[in-house]
Amino acid sequence: MTEEPRHGLARGATSYGDQDFALYMRRGFAKSMGYSTGMLKKPVVGIVNTSSGFNNCHRHFPELAEAVKRGVLAAGGLPIDFPTISLCEPFIAPCTMYYRNLMAMETEEMIRAQPMDAVVMMGGCDKSVPAQIMAAASARVPAVELIGGPMMSGKYEGERLTACTDCRRFWANFRAGRIDRAKIDAVEGKLATTAGSCGVMGTASTMACVAEALGMTLPGTATIPAVHADRLRAAEATGALAMELARTRLTPERIITARSVENTLRVLMAIGGSTNAVIHLAAIAGRLGLKVDLKRLNALSDSTPVLVNLKPTGEHYMEDFFAAGGLGAVLRELKPLLHLDCVDVTGRTLEQRLADEPAFVDRAVVRAFAQPFQPEGGIVALFGSLAPRGAILKRSAADPRLFEGEGRAFVFTSLADMAARVDRPDLEVRPDDILVLQNAGPKSGSGMPEAGYLPIPGKLAKAGVKDMVRISDARMSGTAYGTIVLHVTPEAAVGGPLALVQTGDRIRLSVKERRLDLLVEEREIERRRASLKPAAPGPARGYDRLYMEHVLQADEGVDFDFLR
Ligand code: FES
């Protein structure tokens, strides 16, 4: 029988009952691509290449993949890249979240099905990084995430701007009649002018930092701009690191632990990161039998200040964060709060990493722990009769004047209802109302889009109203801002209390008490519950059916039940 070591191309050959023949066949077909016998004996590093004509954020990935290959080859391995699903926010309907689990499944299966000793996963745009880490956590193959990096900011009429916090600001001004059509059209061509993900602390940048905080990237690489030469050097070094992983067999479940997840939640608070990260982190943790407890999240939030002064919470851009010292500078400030024994993909502990790194920091962007940008963490979880299993508020991007109090609910029953009515001049909405959007959660049929940033109704926007309390079971883009309560769980589509709210009801919000309550008598609640229409039959076939039958709620990461 064969003496072949079970590595490289010899991994997982199809069983015909004759392993020698299976390997002979595989090598024969591999040779049709021009590989020599010597190359085919080397360890194989797979490279998940999510380059796509429908993904502007990844438009530099062909060049980046070449740099990864250089690193693998120099370290004595055979790099082989392969495509997977690529998800880019503006191009996917109903929304990228709907397909995150599909991408995670495909990536996991292709990592497992194809012969590789380690894998480099190239991701950038919002859902790609969590999908890939979910995949790696389940595939249990040595893996390292290579972040694509943020885009650079540009200028329009002397003003610095980039996607996508500035997109929202300009659009809000256009809706309110403060800028004209010619100007909004001109700005459209200046928002995203280089390769890379959105240039603020949106979901993509947050997930890049989450990946590094978990230990799944080469340390120090999360914030490097997409078009910076350091990004290519990071890719080359990541290729070399993958070869080291092929040797050490350090797999993701030894890196992603309860302690590294807790470190990551602290980092999420300190960077003023996206609310989406709470869902993605719950999904990643869930793959390894771990849980993101929202009550624990509140305790971490209360004891972790916001240190990074970046849009949408502050004023700077990702390229400034990189130049200011990047995530390492944040980790150094948080050091007394972190579990320093966690290891990253290099096999070193966090303590070793922090001891080795240069200590430069620009305090305009990354504040000292003792002089934080904001005294408490960016995100809090709320509980109460309207959200028995929790809801999320990004307090760092919200208006504190709206944090405590009661208001009249003004309800949109669906995304379609909101689109049809929100700008009607006769809409009977008042500036101190609480806007409620129902049926935009995981099982709503819309895939939990980033619709939680409900537009200020047209007539109020024109009257100068800039913020209102807005509540939904949807998500919100990490680049958005406002007093916005998201991820209400259970969602309306499964009969959660959100489904029972009617215009005119009173709702009480208290960020101080972490409460969100519907002030309607229990008897009336039960009457409304009894008259709820039964859900329409689900989709008959395909991914839509799989999704609807198996998707979980926000507190479980919106993963599929059979993947946890
Ligand atoms: Fe890709 Fe914003 S659209 S990160």
Side-chain angles (χ1 to χ4, degrees):
M1 289 302 289
T2 181
E3 295 299 316
E4 295 264 8
R6 303 290 290 161
H7 72 247
L9 226 58
R11 282 183 179 276
T14 307
S15 175
Y16 303 114
D18 181 347
Q19 280 287 292
D20 285 345
F21 177 64
L23 288 174
Y24 174 75
M25 287 273 286
R26 179 176 280 174
R27 278 196 306 270
F29 283 107
K31 281 188 171 170
S32 80
M33 293 186 275
Y35 291 116
S36 64
T37 304
M39 282 308 289
L40 295 180
K41 284 188 173 158
K42 291 179 182 293
V44 174
V45 171
I47 303 169
V48 179
N49 190 341
T50 48
S51 187
S52 159
F54 284 110
N55 195 333
N56 58 285
C57 300
H58 295 190
R59 78 167 151 94
H60 57 312
F61 275 22
E63 188 185 21
L64 211 53
E66 288 309 310
V68 177
K69 288 180 186 173
R70 201 159 64 227
V72 175
L73 287 167
L78 172 61
I80 301 181
D81 63 342
F82 60 98
T84 66
I85 292 170
S86 187
L87 300 175
C88 187
E89 292 302 303
F91 295 107
I92 301 281
C95 67
T96 51
M97 188 65 189
Y98 191 68
Y99 294 107
R100 184 204 60 183
N101 296 346
L102 183 63
M103 181 177 179
M105 285 173 70
E106 189 215 22
T107 307
E108 174 188 343
E109 297 306 328
M110 289 302 101
I111 289 173
R112 200 186 283 117
Q114 299 175 126
M116 61 192 79
D117 298 288
V119 62
V120 176
M121 304 177 298
M122 296 169 56
C125 196
D126 295 19
K127 308 300 175 295
S128 53
V129 173
Q132 290 174 338
I133 298 180
M134 289 160 72
S138 295
R140 310 225 169 175
V141 168
V144 53
E145 182 73 35
L146 174 63
I147 301 298
M151 64 177 69
M152 301 292 282
S153 65
K155 277 198 168 171
Y156 175 71
E157 294 185 345
E159 189 182 347
R160 210 172 161 204
L161 74 174
T162 187
C164 208
T165 303
D166 297 318
C167 318
R168 296 174 199 286
R169 180 166 54 83
F170 277 103
W171 192 254
N173 284 337
F174 176 64
R175 274 177 59 79
R178 289 189 285 272
I179 62 173
D180 62 14
R181 171 55 73 179
K183 180 150 180 168
I184 196 75
D185 286 349
V187 167
E188 185 180 285
K190 306 293 181 195
L191 290 165
T193 52
T194 77
S197 48
C198 290
V200 297
M201 191 51 80
T203 303
S205 301
T206 302
M207 291 312 299
C209 293
V210 161
E212 183 171 333
L214 279 173
M216 288 299 294
T217 69
L218 189 68
T221 59
T223 63
I224 306 169
V227 296
H228 198 295
D230 280 355
R231 175 55 63 200
L232 291 168
R233 281 186 278 273
E236 186 183 301
T238 300
L241 172 64
M243 279 297 292
E244 186 62 14
L245 284 169
R247 189 183 64 75
T248 60
R249 311 298 305 156
L250 177 60
T251 42
E253 74 274 14
R254 288 161 57 198
I255 298 169
I256 304 168
T257 62
R259 288 162 82 76
S260 66
V261 168
E262 186 154 312
N263 282 352
T264 304
L265 283 169
R266 287 222 187 258
V267 165
L268 175 63
M269 298 302 153
I271 62 177
S274 163
T275 47
N276 285 318
V278 179
I279 290 180
H280 296 318
L281 206 47
I284 292 166
R287 293 299 182 97
L288 297 168
L290 306 168
K291 189 170 163 52
V292 170
D293 181 336
L294 294 181
K295 296 220 161 89
R296 180 68 186 146
L297 178 139
N298 277 343
L300 295 171
S301 186
D302 289 346
S303 54
T304 313
V306 180
L307 300 174
V308 179
N309 178 0
L310 237 63
K311 289 183 180 226
T313 302
E315 56 187 317
H316 295 287
Y317 293 90
M318 279 302 287
E319 67 207 63
D320 306 319
F321 185 22
F322 169 63
L327 193 68
V330 176
L331 292 170
R332 279 196 300 282
E333 294 303 318
L334 294 179
K335 191 175 169 188
L337 300 177
L338 298 177
H339 304 294
L340 298 174
D341 56 342
C342 293
V343 296
D344 62 34
V345 275
T346 66
R348 290 183 312 162
T349 64
L350 182 55
E351 180 151 41
Q352 288 168 323
R353 171 192 167 168
L354 295 181
D356 292 350
E357 276 188 358
F360 172 75
V361 57
D362 177 353
R363 289 288 179 218
V365 182
V366 180
R367 300 285 179 82
F369 190 87
Q371 279 110 31
F373 180 56
Q374 292 182 5
E376 294 169 317
I379 296 171
V380 287
L382 308 169
F383 299 89
S385 59
L386 190 49
R389 281 165 58 185
I392 293 290
L393 170 78
K394 188 172 181 180
R395 62 178 161 183
S396 59
D399 183 347
R401 289 171 300 185
L402 299 174
F403 282 6
E404 308 297 322
E406 216 184 285
R408 184 187 79 138
F410 189 93
V411 178
F412 297 105
T413 56
S414 66
L415 289 160
D417 177 41
M418 181 170 74
R421 292 195 298 137
V422 72
D423 283 340
R424 277 174 51 168
D426 60 346
L427 197 72
E428 291 191 355
V429 63
R430 304 191 294 241
D432 55 352
D433 280 347
I434 292 178
L435 300 180
V436 174
L437 170 64
Q438 298 166 326
N439 295 306
K443 273 190 187 277
S444 65
S446 58
M448 201 182 188
E450 292 184 335
Y453 176 73
L454 277 67
I456 302 292
K459 76 173 199 185
L460 297 182
K462 287 196 175 77
V465 176
K466 293 218 167 66
D467 197 5
M468 299 169 76
V469 176
R470 289 162 266 180
I471 299 173
S472 74
D473 45 15
R475 296 176 303 112
M476 174 174 86
S477 164
T479 62
Y481 45 87
T483 310
I484 295 171
V485 178
L486 303 153
H487 314 175
V488 169
T489 307
E491 64 173 301
V494 299
L498 187 70
L500 309 175
V501 186
Q502 295 179 356
T503 294
D505 289 347
R506 305 291 293 175
I507 290 175
R508 181 171 172 270
L509 168 69
S510 173
V511 176
K512 201 162 50 188
E513 296 169 23
R514 310 283 187 266
R515 297 285 310 180
L516 183 67
D517 290 294
L518 177 61
L519 306 179
V520 173
E521 280 188 9
E522 195 52 42
R523 241 192 345 216
E524 172 61 13
I525 292 280
E526 287 316 314
R527 191 191 65 75
R528 290 182 194 177
R529 190 178 298 286
S531 61
L532 270 184
K533 288 198 203 92
R541 63 172 294 281
Y543 181 70
D544 293 338
R545 178 170 170 179
L546 180 83
Y547 178 96
M548 284 303 257
E549 288 181 356
H550 295 285
V551 74
L552 298 167
Q553 293 289 286
D555 58 345
E556 293 165 313
V558 194
D559 203 356
F560 292 155
D561 51 10
F562 60 87
L563 293 175
R564 283 160 72 84

